[in-house]
Amino acid sequence: MFINKTADGRNNLCGTHIAVLRKQLHLSQRMLADRLQLAGLEIEKNAVQRIECGKRFVTDIELKTIAEVLGVPVGELLLP
């Protein structure tokens, strides 16, 4: 049976990387959500919070846009 979670129970691999990069850019979760909205991704501050803490799945489209807004390659968000 396929388990759709990480070994520690998170729903995504990228959340912790997103949080680190966001903090390095001195952005709040609200500011990141605003930038993602400007890039065409309909996402609220609460969704950013849920992504970062691993409670929300992230689609490939969202991942691509998040990487673009943070200025990193998509692969960097998926590193262990």
Side-chain angles (χ1 to χ4, degrees), residues 8-19:
D8 62 355
R10 297 172 57 86
N11 289 324
N12 65 58
L13 297 170
C14 63
T16 53
H17 300 295
I18 291 169

Side-chain angles (χ1 to χ4, degrees), residues 21-72:
L21 291 167
R22 174 183 61 76
K23 290 172 187 176
Q24 287 176 351
L25 294 170
H26 306 288
L27 297 174
S28 67
Q29 291 174 338
R30 164 66 57 211
M31 293 165 71
L32 178 56
D34 290 346
R35 289 186 183 195
L36 292 170
Q37 289 173 6
L38 289 173
L41 190 62
E42 287 302 315
I43 194 166
E44 298 294 326
K45 180 256 180 207
N46 289 341
V48 171
Q49 187 273 329
R50 289 177 50 79
I51 289 169
E52 288 184 355
C53 69
K55 293 182 180 177
R56 184 178 180 281
F57 290 103
V58 181
T59 69
D60 54 353
I61 294 166
E62 292 171 332
L63 190 65
K64 180 181 179 292
T65 305
I66 292 168
E68 289 171 357
V69 167
L70 293 174
V72 297

